[in-house]
Each structure stands twice: as C-alpha cells, then as structure tokens.
Amino acid sequence: MTRASLPNVALVGFGYAGRTFHAPLISACPDLRLHSIVTSKPDEARAVWPEAQAVPSFDAVLADPDIDLVVLATPNDLHAPQARAALEADKAVVIDKPFALSLEEAQGVADLAKARELFLSVFHNRRWDADFLGLQQQIASGALGDIRTFESHFDRFRPEVRDRWRERDGPGGGIWNDLGPHLIDQALVLFGRPLGITCELAVLREGGQAVDWAHAVLRYADKRVILHADMTTPAADIRFAVHGATASWLKGGLDVQEDQLKAGEAVGGEGWGVDPSPATVVEGATGARREVACPAGDYPAYYAAVAATLTGRGANPVPPEQALAVMAVLEAGIESDRSRAEVGLS
C-alpha cells in the first residue's frame, strides 16, 4: 500500500489534545495519512505538520470525498453533534474521550454508526500506559492472588485556576469528565461492570468553577475499586495501590508518553514509553519487597489498530459498546454525587 492510497485522516481541533496526542500519533502510523487539520490557527498547524492541509471549517472536511476518517479532538460538548455529522457524511470516526456529555447522547451516536455500518471508536489511550500494561501482566500471572482492593489515582498539583474550557462551569468541564473516563475505562478493562458506584465531586480551589476533586468507589461482589482524581495534591505519589489475597502492587509516577509527546520526541523512537519507575510488589506472608519493571507504554498501538480495522485486517481497539459502558459509570457517578447515595449499575 502506497502512502497516497492510505486512509486519509482529518483531525478536527488543534488544541492540547489534537496537537499533543492525535496529530503526532496519526502521523507516526505507517498505515494512516494525516490529510487535513481543522483549526483556527492554520499557520501553527502548517508549521508543525506541513504535509497536512490546514482547513478553516468542519464543514469543509465533511464535504471532502477524500477524507476517510474524522478524528474529533474538540471540546466535550461538540463530540456528539460532530460525530453525528461525520457519520451522516459517511466518514469513519474517532472521538477523544469522553464519548459525549451523556449516555443518551453517546448511545445515539453509537446507534447511528451501527445503522450506517461505519467505524466508530473512542480514544481511551491510557489502556496503553506502561504502568497499566504492567499491572495487567501481574494480575494475569496470579502473582497478587484475587484482587480485593484496587486504588487508582490521577492526582495533580495545580492550585491556580486556569482560563480554559476544561476548568469552566460549562458542559463537559471538570476533572470527572476529563480524567474520570481514564480511571473508569481501566477499571472496566480489568474487572468489568460494577454493581454500583458511590461518588463525591467537589470544587476545592479558590476561584474554581468546575469540579476539581473527584472520589468514587465502585462496588463489586468480591472487591472494591477506588478511583480518585484531583488538582489539589502537592504529594502526588500514588498512581496505583492494588491489594490482592497474597500480595500488593504499588506504583507511583505517571506514564511518560504524554511528556514525550509534549517534548516533540519521535513517536516509537528509542526509549519511547519506557517507565523509569518500577513497581513494587509486597508479599503478604513475608513482607518482602521486590521491584518489577513495567513493559514500555504503547500509545501508537491505538492508531495501528484503527488503521488495521479500516483496512479489514483487525478489530476496533475501543468499540462503541466499551465506551458506552464507561459513559454509564461516568453518568452514574454524577447522579450519585447529586443524590448523595450509591447508584446501581447491575
């Protein structure tokens, strides 16, 4: 397959998500071609990705018969309407998380994709974090025994409120919508759908408008899963604390791929995704500790799988039904906070 015959991708949005994640990963995929970027700053896009067309409007992408895949890296409130418009224009679609503002919106998009027999996927990239890949290996090996308590954190120290849509009191804003999908998706990959969720959401920073603190407990028959994200923690030491019947698995630090992308490092190059911080396994019977390295993180795997699906060689890396399951838990968490009670998910 020549480069000219590869699926053509239009990236809609060149803010943080589009610039940092999607454009580099799409461009690095040998089986996709970054054809167009929809942005209000065309000079910036051309300076970084001169091989791609900088186009001024989403409508121009919809009308372009050469576009095969539309990637939506736009604010959350645009995900569902733009996805519907792209599907109605017979384009395959990738949506940055979260899928939509509500489960109902997301279900409507998924139903439309199914009816039109078009590819639809959600960018849950943290399935390919080094630490999460390492944790999956540990659980699969049985080294920890049956998991009893699973604790997953995205803690940050950002005491100053920034003027950006993610931190405003508007549709789709706040840390639960931003980081909650990552936390939930990883939990569902490991353990499936919980029986219920108890969730608290808060605004703790002075001058804050959107939720900047979120704490949820997912109830399973044989375990409890704790998900936490905030922007108020100076000592953000905990990423995972996983306690099994025979051993615990402890991990600090964050996956390095986001920082590598921000620094403009070559995607997939030497040292890509290599986590400098090993996990610690603590044996319950003896208290003995040992360090365990994680495999390299692999964000490029997402778009490699997308390309394989589009060309009939593979399976959707995050099919709509999995993303809908994330939305169900995300929405139930909001209802739990509103009602101050557990919301069932059975």
Side-chain angles (χ1 to χ4, degrees):
M1 184 180 290
T2 66
R3 193 72 178 173
S5 64
L6 298 176
N8 286 324
V9 182
L11 172 61
V12 184
F14 200 58
Y16 184 77
R19 181 192 300 263
T20 304
F21 288 96
H22 295 280
L25 293 173
I26 295 165
S27 185
C29 180
D31 296 321
L32 293 174
R33 177 171 174 251
L34 182 59
H35 179 281
S36 303
I37 300 173
V38 177
T39 175
S40 60
K41 299 177 180 179
D43 292 341
E44 291 184 14
R46 291 190 196 101
V48 185
W49 305 106
E51 73 277 14
Q53 301 177 19
V55 297
S57 73
F58 179 54
D59 288 342
V61 163
L62 300 183
D64 188 341
D66 291 333
I67 298 300
D68 303 296
L69 172 66
V70 172
V71 174
L72 300 175
T74 48
N76 297 344
D77 61 325
L78 297 178
H79 288 181
Q82 288 184 334
R84 293 186 69 91
L87 292 167
E88 287 166 353
D90 287 325
K91 314 295 187 186
V93 176
V94 164
I95 307 176
D96 199 271
K97 58 77 203 162
F99 195 158
L101 291 184
S102 69
L103 178 59
E104 181 180 12
E105 266 195 345
Q107 185 68 63
V109 174
D111 290 345
L112 179 61
K114 183 177 181 180
R116 298 185 74 92
E117 299 183 343
L118 290 168
F119 174 87
L120 173 65
S121 186
V122 177
F123 185 64
H124 282 299
N125 60 299
R126 290 197 176 273
R127 294 186 183 191
W128 293 273
D129 278 2
D131 48 21
F132 186 64
L133 294 174
L135 175 58
Q136 286 180 293
Q137 287 184 352
Q138 287 294 304
I139 292 175
S141 74
L144 308 180
D146 293 337
I147 303 304
R148 303 298 190 224
T149 304
F150 173 90
E151 190 168 348
S152 177
H153 284 243
F154 274 123
D155 300 335
R156 295 170 170 174
F157 185 59
R158 297 181 180 174
E160 301 298 325
V161 177
R162 296 167 61 188
D163 184 19
R164 56 178 191 157
W165 67 263
R166 284 185 175 85
E167 298 185 48
R168 298 187 194 120
D169 183 19
I175 203 167
W176 183 240
N177 288 307
D178 186 23
L179 297 180
H182 289 316
L183 294 166
I184 294 165
D185 183 64
Q186 289 183 338
L188 298 190
V189 167
L190 291 175
F191 307 121
R193 190 180 182 93
L195 298 173
I197 180 173
T198 303
C199 183
E200 289 190 47
L201 308 174
V203 181
L204 298 184
R205 294 179 299 170
E206 183 177 355
Q209 300 178 36
V211 167
D212 55 23
W213 186 96
H215 188 88
V217 179
L218 307 185
R219 179 173 59 86
Y220 292 81
D222 59 349
K223 67 180 65 68
R224 294 296 182 268
V225 169
I226 299 164
L227 308 178
H228 184 91
D230 72 53
M231 304 179 80
T232 63
T233 300
D237 294 340
I238 301 171
R239 176 63 187 94
F240 289 105
V242 183
H243 307 293
T246 59
S248 293
W249 189 88
L250 309 175
K251 184 71 176 69
L254 285 174
D255 183 272
V256 300
Q257 292 175 92
E258 182 172 354
D259 284 341
Q260 290 177 321
L261 287 164
K262 285 193 292 187
E265 294 186 24
V267 175
E270 184 178 356
W272 181 264
V274 175
D275 192 333
S277 304
T280 300
V281 173
V282 183
E283 300 294 340
T286 65
R289 291 174 174 251
R290 57 186 173 86
E291 291 188 345
V292 179
C294 294
D298 193 12
Y299 289 173
Y302 176 81
Y303 274 111
V306 168
T309 309
L310 292 177
T311 54
R313 298 177 290 109
N316 190 335
V318 185
E321 55 269 21
Q322 294 179 5
L324 287 169
V326 173
M327 285 301 304
V329 178
L330 190 76
E331 190 168 279
I334 295 170
E335 173 58 23
S336 172
D337 175 71
R338 187 197 65 78
S339 64
R340 294 290 188 265
E342 181 184 274
V343 172
L345 285 157
S346 58

